[in-house]
Amino acid sequence: MRDNVSIDSGFDAPEVAHELECFPYSVQHQDEGVCLLVKMGPYRILLDFGLTNISPITKDLTKSAQRGSSPMPADLVLVSHAHADHARGLLTLHQAFPLLPIYASEVTTKLLPLNWPEQELPGIPSFCQALPLRSPVEITGNLIVELFPAGHLPGAVAILLTYHTPNRDYKLLYTGDFFLSNSRFVEGLRLDELRGLNLDVLLIEGSYGTSRHPHRRNQENQLAERINRAITYGIPVANPESYSVILPTPALGLGQELLMLLRSHHHFTGRDIDVWVDGAVATGCDAYLELLPHLPASVQNFARHQPLFWDERIKPRVRRLKPEYLATLGRSPCIVLTDSSADLSKYCQPNTGNWLILLPEKIDINFSHNYLAPTEVENYLLAQHSDGPGTTQLIHNLRPQHVIFVHGSPSYLADLTCLEELQNRYHVHSPAAGTLVELPIGETFLQPAAPETNYEGELTELGTVITITLPDAVTADPRWRQFADTGLIAARWQGEDLVLRGLSPRELLNQNSPRPTSSDVECCGNCRYQRGQRCLNPVAPLYNFKVTLDGYCPAFERLT
């Protein structure tokens, strides 16, 4: 049994009731990020602080002061990882409350300063204290914190809180952002470390809702193949010119994953091509180099034989993009990794060739369509969070009394909350910001009714026309606007069910792009199983996946 490590937090333990509560200041990642206040008995713990404005905290503090309560917004702050949507407001919080203890993993404490690029690094105070991994830390006499690696990002942790009373221990686990699969720079969350916790409350993210993803390695291979086709053959088969590729990403995590993929995938190793890294992504690479002892053994072994990032000797060459290189950028096919907030027009200049902009799914990136060079825009999936089956797998392994879903669009969180397999076993919550969730702990299971998400409609078959009628209540879902954007839908069978999905304007534009004119070319555009840029061949490796017209697989069969 591991010994508890004691740490002085600077506050005493009053004797009051032992209730558990959760008050989310913010649960979304698209606007304010994540900030949750958990109450365990007498203690108030802030989990993450992705707020850009601390006024909700100070407003509540003013009300508490009028009641004679503590002048501090919480007794301590625990940070799951260094991404901006979980940590961007910490510096402002520290400046407003310099005595408030803030804790995170050692790696996270080193990455946090990247959230404030406008500050000089020596000028950012070391306000965050590092806690060890997999070692219980006694913050006070009866409040214990233990951190477990959560995947997703170097330093990301799941936070286990244990509140000890004479009668029993109350346990709450906050996953932060987690990923069960291994990625290039971080190993996945290990279920075996968390089984048997006898958990009362699980605070869990639901970024991807109930969606199901291909295996991580398949995602990498599909993305590598797409980049390879762009820089080798171009996008339309009728246009033999190749394309340069722009990959806008956040500063930490995905950008470094992509760079390691480009350095190690067989499509690119030894290839005479330049990979340029610009802006905050380059700064994030430098930060990773400082963390090498904390990275997986495979990454450390790679770094013993060649530079991890900056390398002009081994192909493909990886270099920082300096302003003087912009004039010639794109004259020959290259790959650019840059900030998700960067103005991409500075790369897509006249006479720089064709450009393919690849945008990650589920990550908000603002980009313009007005470029001075020919451009194409597509999306790709390289997941950084667990999908729906991974989320439910973690829940069933931990078997808590209460499950609280945060961090995701309201629609995705509602999809998870309404899963029958969860409704039948747990108290499931998906609170909006500012909604207090009381968490009674007992032996009797009383599950509240699930919100209604099914819609009854009518089907009418008239000759060659089939009409499906749905109630107007379906339009209240925020996803309806995207589904009905073009007024066109695609349908396909999935077992005994018929699945409908809306066609986006981008898909319609891609479908209207020139099809291959030569029937001699063996590609998806000339394959008998390609319908609406989706493969319908059950024996093909891309079955049911979206394909490009110039794609190819071994199951190709000619259209005529």
Side-chain angles (χ1 to χ4, degrees), residues 460-495:
T460 305
E461 187 175 356
L462 297 174
T464 59
V465 177
I466 299 173
T467 302
I468 297 176
T469 306
L470 297 173
D472 58 3
V474 72
T475 62
D477 192 298
R479 289 172 289 188
W480 174 257
R481 179 173 296 180
Q482 180 178 355
F483 178 89
D485 190 17
T486 63
L488 299 175
I489 62 172
R492 65 182 176 88
W493 288 105
Q494 183 173 296

PDB file of all heavy atoms in Angstrom, residues 460-495:
ATOM      1  N   THR A 460     -44.337   7.945 -46.158  1.00  0.00           N
ATOM      2  CA  THR A 460     -45.341   7.788 -47.213  1.00  0.00           C
ATOM      3  C   THR A 460     -44.650   7.400 -48.512  1.00  0.00           C
ATOM      4  O   THR A 460     -43.693   8.062 -48.923  1.00  0.00           O
ATOM      5  CB  THR A 460     -46.125   9.100 -47.416  1.00  0.00           C
ATOM      6  OG1 THR A 460     -46.683   9.507 -46.175  1.00  0.00           O
ATOM      7  CG2 THR A 460     -47.232   8.902 -48.424  1.00  0.00           C
ATOM      8  N   GLU A 461     -45.102   6.314 -49.126  1.00  0.00           N
ATOM      9  CA  GLU A 461     -44.517   5.827 -50.372  1.00  0.00           C
ATOM     10  C   GLU A 461     -45.526   6.014 -51.492  1.00  0.00           C
ATOM     11  O   GLU A 461     -46.605   5.415 -51.499  1.00  0.00           O
ATOM     12  CB  GLU A 461     -44.132   4.357 -50.236  1.00  0.00           C
ATOM     13  CG  GLU A 461     -43.365   3.815 -51.435  1.00  0.00           C
ATOM     14  CD  GLU A 461     -42.892   2.393 -51.199  1.00  0.00           C
ATOM     15  OE1 GLU A 461     -43.090   1.870 -50.084  1.00  0.00           O
ATOM     16  OE2 GLU A 461     -42.333   1.808 -52.148  1.00  0.00           O
ATOM     17  N   LEU A 462     -45.197   6.881 -52.464  1.00  0.00           N
ATOM     18  CA  LEU A 462     -46.075   7.178 -53.601  1.00  0.00           C
ATOM     19  C   LEU A 462     -45.308   6.927 -54.892  1.00  0.00           C
ATOM     20  O   LEU A 462     -44.512   7.760 -55.331  1.00  0.00           O
ATOM     21  CB  LEU A 462     -46.567   8.629 -53.542  1.00  0.00           C
ATOM     22  CG  LEU A 462     -47.435   9.007 -52.332  1.00  0.00           C
ATOM     23  CD1 LEU A 462     -47.703  10.496 -52.340  1.00  0.00           C
ATOM     24  CD2 LEU A 462     -48.741   8.225 -52.361  1.00  0.00           C
ATOM     25  N   GLY A 463     -45.515   5.767 -55.476  1.00  0.00           N
ATOM     26  CA  GLY A 463     -44.832   5.440 -56.719  1.00  0.00           C
ATOM     27  C   GLY A 463     -43.324   5.401 -56.512  1.00  0.00           C
ATOM     28  O   GLY A 463     -42.801   4.590 -55.752  1.00  0.00           O
ATOM     29  N   THR A 464     -42.628   6.291 -57.209  1.00  0.00           N
ATOM     30  CA  THR A 464     -41.162   6.326 -57.122  1.00  0.00           C
ATOM     31  C   THR A 464     -40.674   7.356 -56.109  1.00  0.00           C
ATOM     32  O   THR A 464     -39.468   7.588 -56.006  1.00  0.00           O
ATOM     33  CB  THR A 464     -40.571   6.674 -58.500  1.00  0.00           C
ATOM     34  OG1 THR A 464     -41.068   7.946 -58.925  1.00  0.00           O
ATOM     35  CG2 THR A 464     -40.925   5.615 -59.522  1.00  0.00           C
ATOM     36  N   VAL A 465     -41.574   7.976 -55.369  1.00  0.00           N
ATOM     37  CA  VAL A 465     -41.203   9.012 -54.403  1.00  0.00           C
ATOM     38  C   VAL A 465     -41.540   8.545 -52.994  1.00  0.00           C
ATOM     39  O   VAL A 465     -42.632   8.037 -52.732  1.00  0.00           O
ATOM     40  CB  VAL A 465     -41.934  10.346 -54.703  1.00  0.00           C
ATOM     41  CG1 VAL A 465     -41.590  11.385 -53.644  1.00  0.00           C
ATOM     42  CG2 VAL A 465     -41.571  10.842 -56.093  1.00  0.00           C
ATOM     43  N   ILE A 466     -40.593   8.709 -52.086  1.00  0.00           N
ATOM     44  CA  ILE A 466     -40.799   8.376 -50.679  1.00  0.00           C
ATOM     45  C   ILE A 466     -40.667   9.665 -49.868  1.00  0.00           C
ATOM     46  O   ILE A 466     -39.684  10.400 -49.999  1.00  0.00           O
ATOM     47  CB  ILE A 466     -39.768   7.346 -50.177  1.00  0.00           C
ATOM     48  CG1 ILE A 466     -39.892   6.042 -50.976  1.00  0.00           C
ATOM     49  CG2 ILE A 466     -39.931   7.089 -48.689  1.00  0.00           C
ATOM     50  CD1 ILE A 466     -38.810   5.047 -50.650  1.00  0.00           C
ATOM     51  N   THR A 467     -41.638   9.939 -49.033  1.00  0.00           N
ATOM     52  CA  THR A 467     -41.639  11.138 -48.204  1.00  0.00           C
ATOM     53  C   THR A 467     -41.560  10.737 -46.736  1.00  0.00           C
ATOM     54  O   THR A 467     -42.354   9.908 -46.276  1.00  0.00           O
ATOM     55  CB  THR A 467     -42.906  11.978 -48.437  1.00  0.00           C
ATOM     56  OG1 THR A 467     -42.997  12.328 -49.811  1.00  0.00           O
ATOM     57  CG2 THR A 467     -42.876  13.245 -47.591  1.00  0.00           C
ATOM     58  N   ILE A 468     -40.604  11.314 -46.028  1.00  0.00           N
ATOM     59  CA  ILE A 468     -40.455  11.089 -44.588  1.00  0.00           C
ATOM     60  C   ILE A 468     -40.801  12.390 -43.882  1.00  0.00           C
ATOM     61  O   ILE A 468     -40.188  13.432 -44.141  1.00  0.00           O
ATOM     62  CB  ILE A 468     -39.034  10.638 -44.223  1.00  0.00           C
ATOM     63  CG1 ILE A 468     -38.727   9.294 -44.893  1.00  0.00           C
ATOM     64  CG2 ILE A 468     -38.867  10.528 -42.714  1.00  0.00           C
ATOM     65  CD1 ILE A 468     -37.306   8.805 -44.661  1.00  0.00           C
ATOM     66  N   THR A 469     -41.788  12.357 -42.996  1.00  0.00           N
ATOM     67  CA  THR A 469     -42.256  13.545 -42.283  1.00  0.00           C
ATOM     68  C   THR A 469     -41.853  13.450 -40.819  1.00  0.00           C
ATOM     69  O   THR A 469     -42.123  12.442 -40.149  1.00  0.00           O
ATOM     70  CB  THR A 469     -43.778  13.682 -42.394  1.00  0.00           C
ATOM     71  OG1 THR A 469     -44.153  13.659 -43.770  1.00  0.00           O
ATOM     72  CG2 THR A 469     -44.247  14.985 -41.766  1.00  0.00           C
ATOM     73  N   LEU A 470     -41.189  14.505 -40.295  1.00  0.00           N
ATOM     74  CA  LEU A 470     -40.774  14.569 -38.900  1.00  0.00           C
ATOM     75  C   LEU A 470     -41.425  15.769 -38.228  1.00  0.00           C
ATOM     76  O   LEU A 470     -41.718  16.770 -38.883  1.00  0.00           O
ATOM     77  CB  LEU A 470     -39.247  14.690 -38.803  1.00  0.00           C
ATOM     78  CG  LEU A 470     -38.430  13.515 -39.345  1.00  0.00           C
ATOM     79  CD1 LEU A 470     -36.948  13.859 -39.341  1.00  0.00           C
ATOM     80  CD2 LEU A 470     -38.685  12.260 -38.520  1.00  0.00           C
ATOM     81  N   PRO A 471     -41.659  15.728 -36.916  1.00  0.00           N
ATOM     82  CA  PRO A 471     -42.258  16.877 -36.224  1.00  0.00           C
ATOM     83  C   PRO A 471     -41.284  18.052 -36.190  1.00  0.00           C
ATOM     84  O   PRO A 471     -40.058  17.874 -36.249  1.00  0.00           O
ATOM     85  CB  PRO A 471     -42.530  16.335 -34.816  1.00  0.00           C
ATOM     86  CG  PRO A 471     -41.551  15.225 -34.642  1.00  0.00           C
ATOM     87  CD  PRO A 471     -41.400  14.593 -35.993  1.00  0.00           C
ATOM     88  N   ASP A 472     -41.826  19.263 -36.062  1.00  0.00           N
ATOM     89  CA  ASP A 472     -40.965  20.444 -36.081  1.00  0.00           C
ATOM     90  C   ASP A 472     -40.095  20.544 -34.834  1.00  0.00           C
ATOM     91  O   ASP A 472     -39.170  21.356 -34.777  1.00  0.00           O
ATOM     92  CB  ASP A 472     -41.805  21.711 -36.248  1.00  0.00           C
ATOM     93  CG  ASP A 472     -42.854  21.864 -35.150  1.00  0.00           C
ATOM     94  OD1 ASP A 472     -42.891  21.026 -34.229  1.00  0.00           O
ATOM     95  OD2 ASP A 472     -43.641  22.831 -35.225  1.00  0.00           O
ATOM     96  N   ALA A 473     -40.355  19.714 -33.815  1.00  0.00           N
ATOM     97  CA  ALA A 473     -39.519  19.738 -32.609  1.00  0.00           C
ATOM     98  C   ALA A 473     -38.070  19.369 -32.921  1.00  0.00           C
ATOM     99  O   ALA A 473     -37.154  19.764 -32.186  1.00  0.00           O
ATOM    100  CB  ALA A 473     -40.094  18.777 -31.560  1.00  0.00           C
ATOM    101  N   VAL A 474     -37.847  18.634 -34.000  1.00  0.00           N
ATOM    102  CA  VAL A 474     -36.485  18.227 -34.346  1.00  0.00           C
ATOM    103  C   VAL A 474     -35.621  19.433 -34.699  1.00  0.00           C
ATOM    104  O   VAL A 474     -34.399  19.419 -34.552  1.00  0.00           O
ATOM    105  CB  VAL A 474     -36.510  17.200 -35.507  1.00  0.00           C
ATOM    106  CG1 VAL A 474     -36.873  17.880 -36.809  1.00  0.00           C
ATOM    107  CG2 VAL A 474     -35.172  16.482 -35.635  1.00  0.00           C
ATOM    108  N   THR A 475     -36.245  20.521 -35.145  1.00  0.00           N
ATOM    109  CA  THR A 475     -35.471  21.708 -35.537  1.00  0.00           C
ATOM    110  C   THR A 475     -34.943  22.474 -34.334  1.00  0.00           C
ATOM    111  O   THR A 475     -34.124  23.381 -34.488  1.00  0.00           O
ATOM    112  CB  THR A 475     -36.328  22.649 -36.396  1.00  0.00           C
ATOM    113  OG1 THR A 475     -37.453  23.093 -35.625  1.00  0.00           O
ATOM    114  CG2 THR A 475     -36.821  21.936 -37.644  1.00  0.00           C
ATOM    115  N   ALA A 476     -35.417  22.144 -33.129  1.00  0.00           N
ATOM    116  CA  ALA A 476     -34.923  22.835 -31.933  1.00  0.00           C
ATOM    117  C   ALA A 476     -33.504  22.416 -31.588  1.00  0.00           C
ATOM    118  O   ALA A 476     -32.797  23.133 -30.868  1.00  0.00           O
ATOM    119  CB  ALA A 476     -35.856  22.549 -30.749  1.00  0.00           C
ATOM    120  N   ASP A 477     -33.070  21.274 -32.087  1.00  0.00           N
ATOM    121  CA  ASP A 477     -31.701  20.824 -31.839  1.00  0.00           C
ATOM    122  C   ASP A 477     -30.739  21.695 -32.627  1.00  0.00           C
ATOM    123  O   ASP A 477     -30.937  21.939 -33.817  1.00  0.00           O
ATOM    124  CB  ASP A 477     -31.554  19.357 -32.274  1.00  0.00           C
ATOM    125  CG  ASP A 477     -30.262  18.736 -31.781  1.00  0.00           C
ATOM    126  OD1 ASP A 477     -29.185  19.227 -32.186  1.00  0.00           O
ATOM    127  OD2 ASP A 477     -30.333  17.777 -31.001  1.00  0.00           O
ATOM    128  N   PRO A 478     -29.665  22.202 -31.985  1.00  0.00           N
ATOM    129  CA  PRO A 478     -28.730  23.085 -32.704  1.00  0.00           C
ATOM    130  C   PRO A 478     -28.044  22.429 -33.888  1.00  0.00           C
ATOM    131  O   PRO A 478     -27.503  23.104 -34.748  1.00  0.00           O
ATOM    132  CB  PRO A 478     -27.714  23.474 -31.617  1.00  0.00           C
ATOM    133  CG  PRO A 478     -27.872  22.453 -30.540  1.00  0.00           C
ATOM    134  CD  PRO A 478     -29.298  22.026 -30.574  1.00  0.00           C
ATOM    135  N   ARG A 479     -28.084  21.077 -33.977  1.00  0.00           N
ATOM    136  CA  ARG A 479     -27.458  20.402 -35.113  1.00  0.00           C
ATOM    137  C   ARG A 479     -28.324  20.467 -36.370  1.00  0.00           C
ATOM    138  O   ARG A 479     -27.847  20.146 -37.458  1.00  0.00           O
ATOM    139  CB  ARG A 479     -27.185  18.935 -34.752  1.00  0.00           C
ATOM    140  CG  ARG A 479     -26.075  18.747 -33.737  1.00  0.00           C
ATOM    141  CD  ARG A 479     -25.970  17.322 -33.255  1.00  0.00           C
ATOM    142  NE  ARG A 479     -27.097  16.977 -32.386  1.00  0.00           N
ATOM    143  CZ  ARG A 479     -27.174  15.829 -31.691  1.00  0.00           C
ATOM    144  NH1 ARG A 479     -26.207  14.945 -31.795  1.00  0.00           N
ATOM    145  NH2 ARG A 479     -28.208  15.572 -30.921  1.00  0.00           N
ATOM    146  N   TRP A 480     -29.584  20.857 -36.206  1.00  0.00           N
ATOM    147  CA  TRP A 480     -30.480  20.861 -37.356  1.00  0.00           C
ATOM    148  C   TRP A 480     -30.012  21.821 -38.447  1.00  0.00           C
ATOM    149  O   TRP A 480     -30.107  21.522 -39.631  1.00  0.00           O
ATOM    150  CB  TRP A 480     -31.898  21.214 -36.919  1.00  0.00           C
ATOM    151  CG  TRP A 480     -32.835  21.373 -38.077  1.00  0.00           C
ATOM    152  CD1 TRP A 480     -33.294  22.529 -38.622  1.00  0.00           C
ATOM    153  CD2 TRP A 480     -33.381  20.317 -38.869  1.00  0.00           C
ATOM    154  NE1 TRP A 480     -34.102  22.279 -39.700  1.00  0.00           N
ATOM    155  CE2 TRP A 480     -34.174  20.918 -39.877  1.00  0.00           C
ATOM    156  CE3 TRP A 480     -33.290  18.937 -38.825  1.00  0.00           C
ATOM    157  CZ2 TRP A 480     -34.855  20.169 -40.814  1.00  0.00           C
ATOM    158  CZ3 TRP A 480     -33.977  18.195 -39.773  1.00  0.00           C
ATOM    159  CH2 TRP A 480     -34.751  18.809 -40.756  1.00  0.00           C
ATOM    160  N   ARG A 481     -29.511  22.990 -38.045  1.00  0.00           N
ATOM    161  CA  ARG A 481     -29.106  23.995 -39.037  1.00  0.00           C
ATOM    162  C   ARG A 481     -28.025  23.443 -39.958  1.00  0.00           C
ATOM    163  O   ARG A 481     -28.056  23.655 -41.170  1.00  0.00           O
ATOM    164  CB  ARG A 481     -28.609  25.252 -38.334  1.00  0.00           C
ATOM    165  CG  ARG A 481     -28.150  26.340 -39.291  1.00  0.00           C
ATOM    166  CD  ARG A 481     -27.837  27.630 -38.557  1.00  0.00           C
ATOM    167  NE  ARG A 481     -29.038  28.170 -37.932  1.00  0.00           N
ATOM    168  CZ  ARG A 481     -29.045  29.293 -37.220  1.00  0.00           C
ATOM    169  NH1 ARG A 481     -27.922  29.969 -37.040  1.00  0.00           N
ATOM    170  NH2 ARG A 481     -30.164  29.733 -36.680  1.00  0.00           N
ATOM    171  N   GLN A 482     -27.056  22.722 -39.384  1.00  0.00           N
ATOM    172  CA  GLN A 482     -26.004  22.144 -40.219  1.00  0.00           C
ATOM    173  C   GLN A 482     -26.558  20.997 -41.063  1.00  0.00           C
ATOM    174  O   GLN A 482     -26.213  20.846 -42.237  1.00  0.00           O
ATOM    175  CB  GLN A 482     -24.866  21.639 -39.336  1.00  0.00           C
ATOM    176  CG  GLN A 482     -23.716  21.014 -40.113  1.00  0.00           C
ATOM    177  CD  GLN A 482     -22.583  20.584 -39.192  1.00  0.00           C
ATOM    178  OE1 GLN A 482     -22.615  20.832 -37.996  1.00  0.00           O
ATOM    179  NE2 GLN A 482     -21.587  19.932 -39.756  1.00  0.00           N
ATOM    180  N   PHE A 483     -27.458  20.186 -40.485  1.00  0.00           N
ATOM    181  CA  PHE A 483     -28.027  19.046 -41.202  1.00  0.00           C
ATOM    182  C   PHE A 483     -28.816  19.517 -42.422  1.00  0.00           C
ATOM    183  O   PHE A 483     -28.732  18.931 -43.501  1.00  0.00           O
ATOM    184  CB  PHE A 483     -28.934  18.255 -40.251  1.00  0.00           C
ATOM    185  CG  PHE A 483     -29.628  17.083 -40.894  1.00  0.00           C
ATOM    186  CD1 PHE A 483     -29.020  15.837 -40.927  1.00  0.00           C
ATOM    187  CD2 PHE A 483     -30.886  17.211 -41.464  1.00  0.00           C
ATOM    188  CE1 PHE A 483     -29.647  14.750 -41.525  1.00  0.00           C
ATOM    189  CE2 PHE A 483     -31.528  16.142 -42.062  1.00  0.00           C
ATOM    190  CZ  PHE A 483     -30.900  14.905 -42.081  1.00  0.00           C
ATOM    191  N   ALA A 484     -29.579  20.602 -42.266  1.00  0.00           N
ATOM    192  CA  ALA A 484     -30.486  21.054 -43.323  1.00  0.00           C
ATOM    193  C   ALA A 484     -29.908  22.198 -44.135  1.00  0.00           C
ATOM    194  O   ALA A 484     -30.641  22.848 -44.886  1.00  0.00           O
ATOM    195  CB  ALA A 484     -31.815  21.480 -42.694  1.00  0.00           C
ATOM    196  N   ASP A 485     -28.609  22.429 -44.028  1.00  0.00           N
ATOM    197  CA  ASP A 485     -28.004  23.614 -44.655  1.00  0.00           C
ATOM    198  C   ASP A 485     -28.273  23.677 -46.153  1.00  0.00           C
ATOM    199  O   ASP A 485     -28.668  24.709 -46.696  1.00  0.00           O
ATOM    200  CB  ASP A 485     -26.503  23.620 -44.374  1.00  0.00           C
ATOM    201  CG  ASP A 485     -25.852  24.931 -44.768  1.00  0.00           C
ATOM    202  OD1 ASP A 485     -26.586  25.924 -44.946  1.00  0.00           O
ATOM    203  OD2 ASP A 485     -24.616  24.972 -44.887  1.00  0.00           O
ATOM    204  N   THR A 486     -28.079  22.568 -46.855  1.00  0.00           N
ATOM    205  CA  THR A 486     -28.250  22.563 -48.317  1.00  0.00           C
ATOM    206  C   THR A 486     -29.614  22.052 -48.751  1.00  0.00           C
ATOM    207  O   THR A 486     -29.962  22.167 -49.932  1.00  0.00           O
ATOM    208  CB  THR A 486     -27.174  21.691 -48.970  1.00  0.00           C
ATOM    209  OG1 THR A 486     -27.331  20.338 -48.526  1.00  0.00           O
ATOM    210  CG2 THR A 486     -25.779  22.179 -48.608  1.00  0.00           C
ATOM    211  N   GLY A 487     -30.375  21.473 -47.846  1.00  0.00           N
ATOM    212  CA  GLY A 487     -31.666  20.900 -48.208  1.00  0.00           C
ATOM    213  C   GLY A 487     -31.551  19.540 -48.868  1.00  0.00           C
ATOM    214  O   GLY A 487     -32.563  18.984 -49.316  1.00  0.00           O
ATOM    215  N   LEU A 488     -30.328  18.982 -48.924  1.00  0.00           N
ATOM    216  CA  LEU A 488     -30.108  17.675 -49.539  1.00  0.00           C
ATOM    217  C   LEU A 488     -29.603  16.701 -48.484  1.00  0.00           C
ATOM    218  O   LEU A 488     -28.870  17.089 -47.564  1.00  0.00           O
ATOM    219  CB  LEU A 488     -29.091  17.777 -50.682  1.00  0.00           C
ATOM    220  CG  LEU A 488     -29.483  18.687 -51.854  1.00  0.00           C
ATOM    221  CD1 LEU A 488     -28.331  18.786 -52.836  1.00  0.00           C
ATOM    222  CD2 LEU A 488     -30.742  18.166 -52.549  1.00  0.00           C
ATOM    223  N   ILE A 489     -29.986  15.444 -48.618  1.00  0.00           N
ATOM    224  CA  ILE A 489     -29.550  14.426 -47.673  1.00  0.00           C
ATOM    225  C   ILE A 489     -28.997  13.226 -48.429  1.00  0.00           C
ATOM    226  O   ILE A 489     -29.296  13.023 -49.607  1.00  0.00           O
ATOM    227  CB  ILE A 489     -30.689  13.973 -46.738  1.00  0.00           C
ATOM    228  CG1 ILE A 489     -31.823  13.333 -47.539  1.00  0.00           C
ATOM    229  CG2 ILE A 489     -31.201  15.132 -45.882  1.00  0.00           C
ATOM    230  CD1 ILE A 489     -32.892  12.698 -46.672  1.00  0.00           C
ATOM    231  N   ALA A 490     -28.182  12.439 -47.724  1.00  0.00           N
ATOM    232  CA  ALA A 490     -27.700  11.153 -48.234  1.00  0.00           C
ATOM    233  C   ALA A 490     -28.216  10.074 -47.297  1.00  0.00           C
ATOM    234  O   ALA A 490     -28.299  10.283 -46.078  1.00  0.00           O
ATOM    235  CB  ALA A 490     -26.177  11.136 -48.303  1.00  0.00           C
ATOM    236  N   ALA A 491     -28.588   8.924 -47.832  1.00  0.00           N
ATOM    237  CA  ALA A 491     -29.133   7.826 -47.039  1.00  0.00           C
ATOM    238  C   ALA A 491     -28.330   6.557 -47.321  1.00  0.00           C
ATOM    239  O   ALA A 491     -27.884   6.334 -48.454  1.00  0.00           O
ATOM    240  CB  ALA A 491     -30.615   7.608 -47.358  1.00  0.00           C
ATOM    241  N   ARG A 492     -28.141   5.733 -46.293  1.00  0.00           N
ATOM    242  CA  ARG A 492     -27.480   4.450 -46.478  1.00  0.00           C
ATOM    243  C   ARG A 492     -28.005   3.484 -45.422  1.00  0.00           C
ATOM    244  O   ARG A 492     -28.441   3.882 -44.343  1.00  0.00           O
ATOM    245  CB  ARG A 492     -25.965   4.569 -46.377  1.00  0.00           C
ATOM    246  CG  ARG A 492     -25.439   4.976 -45.011  1.00  0.00           C
ATOM    247  CD  ARG A 492     -23.929   5.105 -45.018  1.00  0.00           C
ATOM    248  NE  ARG A 492     -23.412   5.586 -43.755  1.00  0.00           N
ATOM    249  CZ  ARG A 492     -23.084   4.797 -42.721  1.00  0.00           C
ATOM    250  NH1 ARG A 492     -23.248   3.486 -42.833  1.00  0.00           N
ATOM    251  NH2 ARG A 492     -22.627   5.309 -41.598  1.00  0.00           N
ATOM    252  N   TRP A 493     -27.961   2.203 -45.779  1.00  0.00           N
ATOM    253  CA  TRP A 493     -28.401   1.181 -44.838  1.00  0.00           C
ATOM    254  C   TRP A 493     -27.285   0.880 -43.842  1.00  0.00           C
ATOM    255  O   TRP A 493     -26.116   0.810 -44.200  1.00  0.00           O
ATOM    256  CB  TRP A 493     -28.775  -0.103 -45.572  1.00  0.00           C
ATOM    257  CG  TRP A 493     -30.055  -0.004 -46.347  1.00  0.00           C
ATOM    258  CD1 TRP A 493     -30.195   0.115 -47.698  1.00  0.00           C
ATOM    259  CD2 TRP A 493     -31.373   0.012 -45.799  1.00  0.00           C
ATOM    260  NE1 TRP A 493     -31.520   0.200 -48.038  1.00  0.00           N
ATOM    261  CE2 TRP A 493     -32.275   0.139 -46.887  1.00  0.00           C
ATOM    262  CE3 TRP A 493     -31.895  -0.065 -44.512  1.00  0.00           C
ATOM    263  CZ2 TRP A 493     -33.649   0.181 -46.719  1.00  0.00           C
ATOM    264  CZ3 TRP A 493     -33.261  -0.028 -44.336  1.00  0.00           C
ATOM    265  CH2 TRP A 493     -34.130   0.090 -45.422  1.00  0.00           C
ATOM    266  N   GLN A 494     -27.677   0.709 -42.583  1.00  0.00           N
ATOM    267  CA  GLN A 494     -26.757   0.265 -41.534  1.00  0.00           C
ATOM    268  C   GLN A 494     -27.464  -0.865 -40.791  1.00  0.00           C
ATOM    269  O   GLN A 494     -28.233  -0.640 -39.874  1.00  0.00           O
ATOM    270  CB  GLN A 494     -26.423   1.417 -40.583  1.00  0.00           C
ATOM    271  CG  GLN A 494     -25.407   1.034 -39.503  1.00  0.00           C
ATOM    272  CD  GLN A 494     -24.990   2.238 -38.690  1.00  0.00           C
ATOM    273  OE1 GLN A 494     -24.389   3.170 -39.226  1.00  0.00           O
ATOM    274  NE2 GLN A 494     -25.296   2.242 -37.412  1.00  0.00           N
ATOM    275  N   GLY A 495     -27.204  -2.103 -41.236  1.00  0.00           N
ATOM    276  CA  GLY A 495     -27.964  -3.226 -40.732  1.00  0.00           C
ATOM    277  C   GLY A 495     -29.410  -3.116 -41.189  1.00  0.00           C
ATOM    278  O   GLY A 495     -29.703  -2.978 -42.382  1.00  0.00           O
TER     279      GLY A 495
END
